[in-house]
Amino acid sequence: MLKRVEVKTNSRVQLIDITAHIKSQLRSENFSSGVVFVYVPHTTCGITINENVDPTVKEDILSVLGSLIPENGHYRHLEGNSDAHMKASLIGSSVTVFVESGALVLGTWQGIYLAEFDGPRKRSVLLKIVPD
Ligand code: ZN
């Protein structure tokens, strides 16, 4: 089954924890066991899994990406958001997470993040939920 979660981002570059949104979709379907593919159909945002306790990790990730791929570099793409395209490719557009007994199988410190690189925008997160 395919579900869609709408996420509103509120700055140009941002990591938003969407774990609760995904859990809520699994609960609403009474989904017990299988996998969920989490995918964004966009070219300037991505999906990643990382630390969800210490907020400085998010800041460090965004800071390092900003250093590696500056917003105002020498790019050929005329839309003014080349850095966002490159950061999105580096992060990737999907993750796959196992589901057991109705719960996401995540490590203690892990959360699922939408990585915005050209916000603020409304983003769609697609969930493909596949039973065992
Ligand atoms: Zn562009």
Side-chain angles (χ1 to χ4, degrees), residues 43-44 77-82 84-85 118 121:
T43 60
T44 55
H77 179 54
L78 295 176
E79 220 177 21
N81 61 356
S82 279
H85 288 292
D118 195 25
R121 292 175 186 238

Side-chain angles (χ1 to χ4, degrees), residues 12-44:
R12 183 168 194 272
V13 174
Q14 185 180 20
L15 286 175
I16 299 179
D17 190 337
I18 58 168
T19 313
H21 293 289
I22 297 165
K23 286 179 178 173
S24 159
Q25 293 295 322
L26 295 175
R27 258 194 316 272
S28 74
E29 295 301 326
N30 276 326
F31 188 71
S32 173
S33 181
V35 294
V36 57
F37 295 88
V38 183
Y39 167 75
V40 282
H42 302 292
T43 60
T44 55

Side-chain angles (χ1 to χ4, degrees), residues 1-73:
M1 112 195 37
L2 185 66
K3 307 277 283 184
R4 180 183 297 261
V5 175
E6 301 296 333
V7 178
K8 189 177 177 307
T9 65
N10 45 40
S11 64
R12 183 168 194 272
V13 174
Q14 185 180 20
L15 286 175
I16 299 179
D17 190 337
I18 58 168
T19 313
H21 293 289
I22 297 165
K23 286 179 178 173
S24 159
Q25 293 295 322
L26 295 175
R27 258 194 316 272
S28 74
E29 295 301 326
N30 276 326
F31 188 71
S32 173
S33 181
V35 294
V36 57
F37 295 88
V38 183
Y39 167 75
V40 282
H42 302 292
T43 60
T44 55
C45 76
I47 292 285
T48 191
I49 293 177
N50 215 299
E51 162 94 36
N52 71 346
V53 178
D54 181 353
T56 61
V57 174
K58 288 194 301 185
E59 293 168 21
D60 285 344
I61 290 170
L62 294 177
S63 167
V64 168
L65 285 171
S67 298
L68 290 172
I69 308 169
E71 183 178 348
N72 298 312

